[in-house]
Amino acid sequence: MSEVQARAVSELLRIAPVIDELGERFVAAGEQIALVGGPVRDAMLGRLQNDLDFTTSARPEVTERLLKGWADAIWDIGRDFGTIGCRRGDWQIEITTYRSETYDPASRKPDVSYGDSLAGDLGRRDFTVNAMAVALPGREFEDPYGGIVDLAHQVLRTPGRPEDSFSDDPLRMMRAARFASQLGFTVAPEVKQAMTEMADRITIISAERVRDELVKLVCSPRPRAGLLLLVETGLAEHVLPELPALALERDEHHRHKDVYEHTLTVLEQSIDLEDRLPEGGPDFVSRFAALMHDVGKPRTRKFQGDGTVTFHHHDVVGAKITRKRMQALKFSNDETADVSTLVELHLRFHGYGDGQWTDSAVRRYVRDAGPLLSRLHILTRADCTTRNQRKADRLRRTYDELEERIARLSEQEELASIRPDLDGNQIMEILGIPAGREVGEAYKHLLELRLDNGPMSYEDAKTALLEWSAAR
């Protein structure tokens, strides 16, 4: 028995109670059912999770009836696609009727039609490593397209012609890039060629589906591999055009190294620093900020008379570009704001120089970063890709010093929740004014004093407020 098969048997034994019971219920009702796709692949890789996918001859209404009394909970959010979901103990299960789906050239949604056999269902799947099944309840292994061989060689192929597969569902081209990143597999030459020739076909896919694949890719263990594939095949021109645009630029400090390569290195270094985050990684916001931090450079590049190149304000311009791209991909407002803010702030540290910032400047740095401070620390550190070891060491020491100052001030002043020394009610009482615009202006003035001078006593803050009011 091969090592791959041994791992699969071990994993299947672990889930035997679930798959055997399901198999018996469906077969008793005259239906066929098989564990299929990702779970079979992952069982062979020894990394099976608690999400199980099945395919069946049963129509959704029959599946739902057979699950009643067995599953702890049932949902039918995927009914239009032939899928019924359920939970049994710790297992999350999806059971989908044999199907085939194709896209009309002008449509963004697949036309779903039910199939009549397991072999036919496997033939419509994206890649051979996902076109393997275990028929139940007998646990017969089905592999009509040589998925186990491709799994052993770590290569991604399609069950049939890749052109037919990608025509049926163009999102599979992005999925190839995602699997390259997730699994560390290479893409077969004919698959890569089809992706290149059909790249513009991705434009018929909804922004939400493209976004979800992009998130999975970016949050994978090796996103560089998938991103390179997107750029090389031209897919990135349609889903994230800001990335290939960076290949045309040169970094202002290391003109031998383009900004595209620099960006991928920053992303990898950002991933290496994720253990600094309170919840660890993978962290999409941190990673996507690293990927987008220099996208403002193409629009801000200027050649100087002495041959140098500048990218003034590329942080601000990049934040606007990032916000527009994330809105086009239908990201949430919160994620869009977080990533855009990090892009806008990524150069702020470089004003720190040799540690000459005042306490006021440090407070503003913390205030502007807000809850993103930990991520900003990561992005700023990851953005150092210089090969000059002395310079790299100096930058690291300087940032260490800044973090130490932030920690000291935080202990003294609770920096993360900086507020003026008087609240709105106290301002209204001292000045004898009602709620309104003047209260907001007074609050803002006191906040600036707080940032400049640190905490003040009530009496000192009251005096400062009265002086400000009198001066107005």
Side-chain angles (χ1 to χ4, degrees), residues 60-324:
E61 62 275 10
V62 176
T63 296
E64 189 171 23
R65 174 170 55 80
L66 292 174
L67 291 175
K68 286 180 179 176
W70 180 81
D72 300 326
I74 300 173
W75 52 89
D76 66 350
I77 192 170
R79 181 183 292 274
D80 290 345
F81 296 95
T83 301
I84 300 296
C86 74
R87 177 175 54 80
R88 168 80 170 186
D90 294 332
W91 304 99
Q92 300 288 327
I93 295 167
E94 287 192 349
I95 304 176
T96 302
T97 304
Y98 295 154
R99 71 186 187 188
S100 60
E101 60 184 34
T102 57
Y103 276 75
D104 181 271
S107 172
R108 289 179 179 269
K109 296 182 178 179
D111 297 320
V112 177
S113 58
Y114 295 134
D116 55 12
S117 71
L118 175 59
D121 184 86
L122 294 179
R124 56 154 289 276
R125 294 188 175 263
D126 51 8
F127 303 105
T128 59
V129 295
N130 295 329
M132 299 180 287
V134 177
L136 303 173
R139 303 187 203 164
E140 295 96 0
F141 179 59
E142 303 285 346
D143 181 23
Y145 300 101
I148 194 168
V149 174
D150 288 339
L151 194 70
H153 289 97
Q154 298 188 327
V155 63
L156 292 172
R157 301 183 191 277
T158 53
R161 291 189 339 124
E163 294 83 1
D164 296 336
S165 179
F166 297 153
S167 180
D168 284 348
D169 185 353
L171 192 67
R172 290 173 176 171
M173 295 185 287
M174 285 196 67
R175 206 171 291 145
R178 191 242 295 181
F179 284 135
S181 291
Q182 277 187 342
L183 303 174
F185 287 11
T186 57
V187 175
E190 69 274 13
V191 173
K192 185 174 181 180
Q193 181 178 346
M195 291 169 66
T196 304
E197 294 173 352
M198 301 177 67
D200 61 347
R201 180 84 167 146
I202 198 69
T203 58
I204 72 167
I205 300 297
S206 69
E208 291 85 353
R209 294 186 73 208
V210 169
R211 174 202 65 208
D212 291 347
E213 277 301 323
L214 186 61
V215 169
K216 291 174 184 176
L217 191 163
V218 170
C219 290
S220 69
R222 295 164 291 269
R224 175 191 278 261
L227 293 168
L228 285 171
L229 188 58
L230 290 182
V231 172
E232 290 168 2
T233 57
L235 278 162
E237 293 285 354
H238 302 287
V239 300
L240 195 65
E242 295 79 9
L243 184 59
L246 294 175
L248 304 176
E249 307 308 320
R250 297 289 168 182
D251 184 278
E252 68 267 41
H253 301 301
H254 302 285
R255 294 172 61 190
H256 64 277
K257 179 173 58 181
D258 64 38
V259 180
Y260 171 63
E261 181 63 29
H262 163 78
T263 293
L264 294 178
T265 301
V266 172
L267 171 60
E268 290 179 320
Q269 294 185 166
S270 174
I271 293 170
D272 290 340
L273 293 169
E274 283 181 339
D275 58 358
R276 287 171 161 261
L277 294 173
E279 298 180 2
D283 182 69
F284 174 76
V285 169
S286 181
R287 294 185 183 198
F288 204 58
L291 194 60
M292 301 296 284
H293 79 283
D294 273 348
V295 295
K297 283 190 171 179
R299 293 192 188 177
T300 58
R301 181 174 62 168
K302 294 287 187 296
F303 295 98
Q304 305 302 307
D306 61 359
T308 59
V309 183
T310 63
F311 301 94
H312 294 313
H313 307 301
H314 77 265
D315 47 347
V316 177
V317 173
K320 292 179 180 177
I321 293 172
T322 298
R323 188 175 298 109
K324 185 175 181 181

Side-chain angles (χ1 to χ4, degrees), residues 4 41 44 47 52 89 96 144 148 161 178 204 214 289 336 350 390 445 453:
V4 169
R41 178 200 71 218
M44 293 183 173
R47 42 171 276 177
L52 302 178
T96 302
I148 194 168
R161 291 189 339 124
R178 191 242 295 181
I204 72 167
L214 186 61
T336 300
H350 296 287
R390 288 181 60 189
H445 174 71
N453 305 320

Side-chain angles (χ1 to χ4, degrees), residues 317-426:
V317 173
K320 292 179 180 177
I321 293 172
T322 298
R323 188 175 298 109
K324 185 175 181 181
R325 174 56 51 201
M326 293 186 73
Q327 288 170 344
L329 289 171
K330 308 295 186 184
F331 279 95
S332 70
N333 291 336
D334 287 344
E335 282 183 312
T336 300
D338 286 349
V339 175
S340 301
T341 298
L342 287 170
V343 172
E344 187 165 355
L345 293 177
H346 84 273
L347 288 181
R348 183 73 65 87
F349 160 72
H350 296 287
Y352 190 65
D354 295 319
Q356 301 304 309
W357 274 7
T358 62
D359 285 351
S360 171
V362 174
R363 293 187 192 102
R364 282 182 165 79
Y365 189 77
V366 174
R367 184 217 29 204
D368 292 346
L372 298 172
L373 184 61
S374 295
R375 290 180 171 120
L376 182 58
H377 288 334
I378 286 177
L379 177 58
T380 303
R381 288 180 179 276
D383 196 21
C384 175
T385 60
T386 178
R387 295 177 183 175
N388 184 323
Q389 194 58 47
R390 288 181 60 189
K391 182 177 181 181
D393 290 342
R394 178 172 56 80
L395 284 170
R396 185 175 61 253
R397 286 194 304 270
T398 304
Y399 206 84
D400 286 344
E401 178 190 328
L402 175 58
E403 287 201 56
E404 289 167 5
R405 286 184 67 186
I406 290 172
R408 286 198 305 271
L409 283 172
S410 292
E411 285 182 12
Q412 299 165 10
E413 306 177 14
E414 298 182 359
L415 272 187
S417 55
I418 285 180
R419 298 288 186 274
D421 297 287
L422 300 174
D423 62 26
N425 289 328
Q426 290 171 316

